[in-house]
Amino acid sequence: MIETEIDKLIMKWQNKLHLSDWKIYYKFVNFKRADNYPQKGDIEVKAQAKTVTILLKKDQPDIENTIVHELVHLILWDLDHYAEKQLSKNQKDKYFELLESTVANLTKALNTR
Ligand SMILES: [Zn+2]
């Protein structure tokens, strides 16, 4: 997928999700995870500056779905950030599992296909 198409997808979903107060960038990365999970995306948030960079694995079959997934994470960012600070270390695995399933369900409900 060429880069202007990714810009278009980001613009489309930035509008739909009412995120126009954010500056949204993206860059391609190679994720290297210790657990070998095949990660496709992530976000780097600068909340004060209202700037987010979506990190994307290059060459993935449904990059629009990944973009929306990461923007749903952005919508939940304040809540996520707050909750994470309250949790003890042994509560975090369950928390992340619930967060990811919530984000996946909301992304599915937004029907990217
Ligand atoms: Zn996620």
Side-chain angles (χ1 to χ4, degrees):
M1 174 164 290
I2 57 168
E3 314 214 341
T4 53
E5 290 180 63
I6 293 173
D7 284 328
K8 272 188 201 158
L9 288 174
I10 289 173
M11 240 185 286
K12 168 184 163 184
W13 286 99
Q14 181 171 21
N15 283 329
K16 278 185 186 256
L17 299 174
H18 301 274
L19 293 168
S20 55
D21 50 340
W22 285 85
K23 284 188 215 94
I24 304 177
Y25 303 100
Y26 75 92
K27 66 182 176 192
F28 292 117
V29 296
N30 284 311
F31 293 105
K32 291 195 179 76
R33 288 174 53 129
D35 61 3
N36 282 323
Y37 179 83
Q39 188 167 356
K40 292 183 285 189
D42 202 355
I43 46 173
E44 288 174 351
V45 178
K46 289 183 184 140
Q48 298 280 355
K50 287 233 152 195
T51 300
V52 60
T53 303
I54 305 172
L55 309 180
L56 292 167
K57 178 184 178 291
K58 212 167 186 167
D59 302 322
Q60 48 177 299
D62 192 358
I63 207 162
E64 183 169 16
N65 193 67
T66 302
I67 288 167
V68 177
H69 179 104
E70 297 308 327
L71 292 177
V72 171
H73 271 294
L74 179 61
I75 291 169
L76 296 173
W77 182 259
D78 285 341
L79 176 68
D80 179 20
H81 192 67
Y82 178 80
E84 220 192 305
K85 276 191 292 187
Q86 315 302 316
L87 296 171
S88 64
K89 211 170 187 297
N90 63 353
Q91 293 172 305
K92 287 199 178 175
D93 281 354
K94 186 67 190 171
Y95 172 73
F96 285 126
E97 187 189 317
L98 292 170
L99 175 67
E100 284 308 325
S101 65
T102 302
V103 170
N105 284 332
L106 289 171
T107 302
K108 202 187 284 177
L110 289 164
N111 189 17
T112 62
R113 284 151 223 248

